[in-house]
């Protein structure tokens, strides 16, 4: 499974102003870390992906308009 973690910066800006992008990015990193840790705890394999085409990922994942993908976590059953 590929889990896309994204943010709606304009929505976040309403609450956090100029620091919105920083907070959203930090939260995305924390979410990714939690997914990675839980995956390993469940005996699954997981990997963080940070290099991707933003527009292509947003379209493929059907993110809502205005949402920006920040990270992808790929989770699966590891080879033995």
């Amino acid at each position: 499974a590929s889990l896309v973690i994204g943010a709606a910066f304009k929505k976040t800006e309403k609450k956090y102003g100029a620091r919105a992008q920083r907070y959203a990015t930090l939260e995305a990193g924390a979410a990714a870390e939690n997914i990675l840790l839980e995956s390993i705890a469940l005996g699954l394999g997981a990997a963080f992906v940070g290099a991707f085409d933003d527009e292509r990922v947003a379209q493929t994942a059907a993110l809502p308009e205005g949402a920006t993908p920040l990270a992808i976590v790929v989770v699966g059953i590891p080879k033995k």
Side-chain angles (χ1 to χ4, degrees), residues 39-56:
S39 296
I40 300 306
L42 294 170
L44 299 170
F48 180 87
V49 179
F52 50 81
D53 180 316
D54 291 3
E55 289 182 27
R56 191 167 181 190

Side-chain angles (χ1 to χ4, degrees), residues 22-33:
R22 177 183 294 188
Y23 291 152
T25 303
L26 288 169
E27 290 292 327
E33 179 181 34

Side-chain angles (χ1 to χ4, degrees), residues 2-39:
S2 296
L3 306 170
V4 177
I5 302 168
F9 292 124
K10 291 205 184 293
K11 183 177 179 181
T12 308
E13 286 172 1
K14 291 178 184 176
K15 184 171 184 177
Y16 296 108
R19 298 182 68 85
Q21 189 167 357
R22 177 183 294 188
Y23 291 152
T25 303
L26 288 169
E27 290 292 327
E33 179 181 34
N34 286 328
I35 293 166
L36 291 165
L37 290 169
E38 187 61 24
S39 296

